[in-house]
Amino acid sequence: EVQVVESGGRSVQAGGSLRLSCAVTGFPYSGHCMGWFRRAPGKEREGVAFINRDGATSYVDSVVKGRFTISKDNARNTLYLQLNNLKPEDTAKYYCASSILLSQLQSGTPDHWGQGTQVTVSS
């Protein structure tokens, strides 16, 4: 069974940092593009960052603003999102997602979603 499990979310003060993890099992991880989305209370879901099979990355600049970094460890089947200089507006549930096709992932219709991990940033 496919499992996409996020972890690492917690409450932090503004200016702090977190590293989110996404552990993947049950599908060919190396053959998929991966990404992170987030959804804040009362807001629409938005893309954050994406990484393709070869490790090339892309970011939603209006969201990330140079503060976040996506990476992956293929040996551990794990995706990461490093969050730096966190602000209260970053408070959201962060979701890991996976698709065969990068365009499908970026459009918000991935093959697989994780359950999300909550990040709360206090001022």
Side-chain angles (χ1 to χ4, degrees), residues 18-93:
L18 288 173
R19 189 180 72 166
L20 307 182
S21 299
C22 172
V24 179
T25 59
F27 67 89
Y29 174 86
S30 63
H32 281 69
C33 302
M34 306 290 296
W36 290 94
F37 294 79
R38 71 183 188 182
R39 184 179 179 225
K43 302 289 187 179
E44 296 181 356
R45 182 189 63 207
E46 57 188 355
V48 177
F50 309 95
I51 188 165
N52 73 8
R53 300 173 185 85
D54 297 323
T57 59
S58 61
Y59 297 91
V60 181
D61 290 339
S62 62
V63 174
V64 172
K65 300 179 181 178
R67 300 173 299 129
F68 303 165
T69 303
I70 188 171
S71 62
K72 61 179 180 177
D73 184 340
N74 288 336
R76 295 182 179 272
N77 283 357
T78 301
L79 180 74
Y80 302 100
L81 184 67
Q82 179 68 39
L83 309 173
N84 295 324
N85 192 25
L86 285 162
K87 304 178 184 299
E89 56 262 40
D90 295 316
T91 294
K93 196 167 188 178

